[in-house]
């Protein structure tokens, strides 16, 4: 009697393993890179803060500027105030990620609603909604954010709202363009001829066709929002001390660029992982949609 007969589950186990291996082999390079980068970011953001002794705020001037990988208690070293860089980097990355996801969610929902209504209704509604978008596009986003943050403050919740409300136009335009191309299709005109309401047509026919585009754009926009948030923090208008932020850590590290360049390199590498992971994820979504 063969081994396969003796172990009935063996064939199924080997088939499942082969399927997983085949799936990994078929994955595009962008998908693999996205998974690696995003996995590293998630571990850094949400696992490191749970480790024993992780404290991003504790200061010890006697342990300031410890180099990375020279002290087991501070794997990435300490900053000028003796604070653990790994803990601060984890919290800063977590803040950037949460702000970016929150802002992108607001932008995507607002842009999706505006694009669906403008694209399906057309006429004056389309002119008014897209006119509002054109006015916002005429104002540089970073300049607008600097003015708003300097006036209203820079709490994390406020940053999410401001970043979300200043980045919806791209979503609106993309969704509007897709809806324009779909509303004359037979499945839409047939539903309208059968007496379906505008809301029903949008929910059942248009929404499902624009969501893949919104998902691709959202993954791309996460990197854009992280860049803007880090830039605001770098010039002192983002997350305020003592809460760590990637832009602020880069700003503080540049003072020690010649003697301790790792203070700038470490947070800059985290920014790179966040942005690159988002871009590769967007490419992976695009490949999935095209296949």
């Amino acid at each position: 009697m063969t081994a396969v007969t003796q172990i009935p589950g063996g064939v199924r186990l080997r088939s499942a393993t082969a399927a997983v291996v085949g799936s990994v082999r078929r994955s595009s390079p962008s998908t693999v890179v996205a998974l690696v980068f995003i996995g590293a970011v998630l571990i850094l953001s949400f696992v490191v803060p749970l480790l024993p002794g992780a404290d991003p705020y504790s200061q010890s001037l006697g342990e300031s500027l410890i180099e990375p990988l020279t002290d087991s208690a501070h794997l990435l070293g300490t900053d000028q105030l003796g604070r653990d860089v790994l803990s601060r980097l984890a919290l800063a990355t977590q803040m950037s990620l949460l702000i970016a996801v929150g802002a992108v969610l607001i932008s995507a929902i607002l842009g999706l609603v505006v694009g669906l209504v403008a694209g399906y209704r057309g006429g004056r509604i389309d002119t008014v909604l897209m006119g509002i978008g054109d006015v916002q596009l005429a104002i540089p986003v970073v300049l607008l954010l600097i003015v708003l943050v300097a006036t209203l403050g820079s709490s994390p919740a406020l940053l999410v709202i401001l970043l979300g409300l200043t980045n919806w136009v791209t979503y609106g335009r993309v969704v509007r363009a897709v809806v324009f191309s779909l509303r004359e299709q037979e499945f839409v005109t047939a539903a309208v001829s059968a007496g379906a309401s505008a809301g029903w047509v949008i929910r059942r026919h248009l929404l499902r066709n624009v969501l893949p585009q919104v998902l691709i754009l959202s993954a791309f926009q996460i990197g854009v929002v992280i860049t803007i948030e880090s830039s605001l923090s770098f010039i002192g208008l983002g997350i305020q001390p003592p809460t760590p932020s990637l832009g602020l850590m880069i700003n503080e590290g540049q003072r020690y660029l010649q003697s301790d360049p790792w203070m700038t390199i470490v947070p800059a590498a985290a920014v790179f992982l966040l942005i690159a992971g988002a871009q590769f994820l967007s490419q992976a979504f695009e490949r999935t949609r095209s296949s």
Side-chain angles (χ1 to χ4, degrees):
M1 185 176 294
T2 64
V4 173
T5 305
Q6 293 174 348
I7 307 176
V11 174
R12 291 193 296 271
L13 179 60
R14 280 178 288 177
S15 299
T17 303
V20 172
V21 173
S23 176
V24 172
R25 289 177 177 175
R26 290 193 299 271
S27 298
S28 64
S30 60
T31 303
V32 175
V33 174
L35 292 175
V36 172
F37 282 11
I38 292 173
V41 167
L42 292 178
I43 291 173
L44 174 64
S45 302
F46 298 101
V47 176
V48 170
L50 300 178
L51 297 178
D55 187 353
Y57 300 108
S58 177
Q59 301 182 17
S60 177
L61 295 179
E63 297 182 332
S64 62
L65 298 177
I66 296 176
E67 295 185 358
L69 305 179
T70 59
D71 188 339
S72 59
H74 306 286
L75 291 179
L76 292 183
T78 58
D79 64 6
Q80 71 278 9
L81 297 178
R83 296 172 297 190
D84 182 60
V85 171
L86 179 59
S87 299
R88 292 181 62 77
L89 186 69
L91 183 56
T93 304
Q94 183 183 118
M95 291 295 296
S96 293
L97 194 59
L98 292 176
I99 288 173
V101 171
V104 166
L105 188 61
I106 293 175
S107 297
I109 293 174
L110 181 58
L112 180 63
V113 172
V114 171
L116 285 170
V117 173
Y120 186 74
R121 290 295 189 182
R124 292 184 178 180
I125 294 178
D126 176 41
T127 302
V128 171
L129 293 177
M130 289 300 101
I132 295 173
D134 290 339
V135 170
Q136 184 166 317
L137 286 177
I139 306 173
V141 173
V142 176
L143 179 60
L144 177 61
L145 284 169
I146 289 175
V147 173
L148 292 174
V149 169
T151 304
L152 302 175
S154 57
S155 67
L158 185 60
L159 280 175
V160 169
I161 295 172
L162 293 178
L163 287 167
L165 294 179
T166 53
N167 286 283
W168 66 270
V169 182
T170 304
Y171 293 92
R173 287 183 169 276
V174 169
V175 172
R176 171 181 174 269
V178 175
V179 172
F180 260 133
S181 66
L182 292 175
R183 68 178 186 177
E184 301 301 329
Q185 297 292 323
E186 291 183 359
F187 63 91
V188 175
T189 56
V192 174
S193 300
S197 64
W200 191 91
V201 172
I202 290 175
R203 290 194 308 271
R204 295 297 299 271
H205 292 299
L206 300 180
L207 185 59
R208 67 177 63 181
N209 286 285
V210 300
L211 282 179
Q213 293 289 349
V214 172
L215 186 62
I216 294 169
L217 184 57
S218 295
F220 176 82
Q221 285 293 316
I222 285 177
V224 174
V225 173
I226 288 173
T227 303
I228 296 174
E229 185 274 326
S230 299
S231 301
L232 290 174
S233 296
F234 181 82
I235 62 177
L237 293 176
I239 302 298
Q240 297 299 306
T243 304
S245 65
L246 295 175
L248 183 60
M249 292 179 69
I250 294 174
N251 188 332
E252 293 173 345
Q254 70 176 353
R255 306 172 193 171
Y256 305 89
L257 196 56
Q258 293 185 349
S259 59
D260 300 285
W262 52 269
M263 287 187 62
T264 301
I265 294 174
V266 169
V271 173
F272 169 78
L273 282 177
L274 283 168
I275 297 174
Q279 306 309 305
F280 281 115
L281 183 63
S282 177
Q283 293 181 20
F285 287 155
E286 175 64 27
R287 288 177 181 273
T288 301
R289 187 188 67 86
S290 301
S291 61

